[in-house]
Amino acid sequence: MSVRVIAIIQGRMSSSRLPGKILADIAGQPMLQRVYIRTSRAATVTETIFATTTDATDDPVAEYCDFSGIPFTRGSLFDVLDRYYQAAKNAKAEVVVRVTADCPVIDPALIDDVVKTLLDGEYDFVCNRLPPPWHRTYPIGLDVEACTFKVLAKAWKAAKEPQHREHAMPYFYEGVELTRQSRTLETGVSSRGFKVALLHHITDFGDYRWTVDTPEDLEFMRQVYSRFDGRDDFSWKEVLDLVHDEPELMDINAGVKHKTLKDIDKRALK
């Protein structure tokens, strides 16, 4: 029996740093379309769904998805955990993959690595990055998280803190102490009893910035896509080769400070 793996891409127009970014054009297609196509290519993924909000500012997102044939759901603006849970439940997910709509070079092979690790190791939660104090080795913007629907339902019921609701999955890994199993795998059991695995790349590229949060980031991505003539089937390793061949590309968004888990949208607290 094959496992029903649902990739859910979260995105909204009211980004605090670059409003409207998910519909921003990258080489002839909106960013959300780029993320959707690349995520859908993962061999382990049964279906990919775009999860936006019921806020009126996201009507254009719903219209675009509808027009383009992208399956989508609409849910809470700030309670992203609820948005994930409802979308996953409606899709009858057994495994849920979390991707964000500001990662236009997300790599399907990395999604497959995370899902296969989750299934083969019978983990509750697997990812290829965790926020500080943990160390990341994949570029920012290749972030993949996956969990079983069973534990997502547990978190949805039990998680109360604003950062748990807005960032969707910290409830699983908070307090985990990881032990190195190999050059590419750390594992541990979190303070709440969840089995967690963190995947690493052998060479550390954790300070490379390939996500879109600012106008500089968007310009960087447009330059990357232009180097591939607007195609979307290039791998993250090809992007790596590109920025090593043309290091000046990395100067475009070198000054951007990455947001952390402590950054919760103040609008959610009102």
Side-chain angles (χ1 to χ4, degrees):
M1 190 190 87
S2 60
V3 177
R4 195 163 164 75
V5 178
I6 305 297
I8 300 174
I9 304 166
Q10 69 181 75
R12 58 178 190 170
M13 292 293 275
S14 55
S15 149
S16 53
R17 292 212 278 188
L18 186 59
K21 67 182 180 183
I22 65 172
L23 286 179
D25 181 88
I26 297 177
Q29 289 184 7
M31 180 158 68
L32 75 79
Q33 176 93 31
R34 297 292 190 187
V35 180
Y36 173 77
I37 287 169
R38 292 178 67 92
T39 302
S40 301
R41 286 211 177 99
T44 53
V45 168
T46 313
E47 187 183 1
T48 304
I49 295 170
F50 199 88
T52 192
T53 86
T54 51
D55 196 74
T57 55
D58 286 316
D59 289 349
V61 179
E63 282 163 25
Y64 181 82
C65 288
D66 201 29
F67 172 75
S68 307
I70 296 174
F72 71 98
T73 60
R74 302 186 73 170
S76 171
L77 182 59
F78 297 115
D79 188 348
V80 181
L81 177 54
D82 183 64
R83 213 191 307 167
Y84 266 82
Y85 172 73
Q86 302 298 347
K89 190 172 105 176
N90 291 338
K92 298 184 168 49
E94 293 171 273
V95 168
V96 179
V97 176
R98 176 177 180 242
V99 171
T100 57
D102 49 9
C103 297
V105 293
I106 191 77
D107 195 301
L110 295 182
I111 295 173
D112 288 337
D113 288 347
V114 168
V115 173
K116 283 173 184 160
T117 303
L118 183 92
L119 295 173
D120 294 348
E122 296 183 357
Y123 294 101
D124 296 311
F125 172 84
V126 178
C127 59
N128 62 357
R129 49 62 78 189
L130 284 175
W134 294 281
H135 186 67
R136 69 175 300 141
T137 51
Y138 282 100
I140 298 163
L142 296 180
D143 305 6
V144 181
E145 296 179 336
C147 67
T148 64
F149 179 74
K150 203 162 92 179
V151 299
L152 186 71
K154 277 186 188 170
W156 177 76
K157 276 194 185 125
K160 300 285 184 278
E161 298 294 321
Q163 76 270 20
H164 294 154
R165 307 303 302 192
E166 188 178 331
H167 294 289
M169 295 191 175
Y171 189 80
F172 302 129
Y173 56 78
E174 273 181 353
V176 71
E177 289 192 18
L178 296 169
T179 305
R180 181 70 70 162
Q181 304 299 335
S182 70
R183 291 172 75 190
T184 56
L185 180 68
E186 285 185 285
T187 65
V189 176
S190 78
S191 53
R192 297 187 177 93
F194 298 111
K195 278 181 70 183
V196 172
L198 171 62
L199 301 185
H200 284 292
H201 190 257
I202 290 171
T203 314
D204 186 349
F205 298 116
D207 57 350
Y208 286 26
R209 184 177 170 81
W210 300 352
T211 186
V212 177
D213 238 353
T214 67
E216 294 82 2
D217 294 332
L218 184 59
E219 178 55 29
F220 169 76
M221 279 302 167
R222 285 171 169 163
Q223 292 294 333
V224 168
Y225 266 85
S226 75
R227 299 302 191 280
F228 294 103
D229 301 320
R231 293 184 359 253
D232 51 32
D233 57 354
F234 54 88
S235 70
W236 81 274
K237 293 281 178 71
E238 289 177 90
V239 181
L240 200 58
D241 289 343
L242 171 67
V243 298
H244 290 163
D245 289 343
E246 298 186 48
E248 64 279 7
L249 284 173
M250 300 241 270
D251 296 339
I252 297 171
N253 63 346
V256 178
K257 185 175 175 291
H258 191 58
K259 287 202 294 191
T260 71
L261 197 61
K262 293 188 176 67
D263 293 316
I264 55 168
D265 198 315
K266 302 294 183 283
R267 294 170 294 186
L269 304 175
K270 286 180 178 151

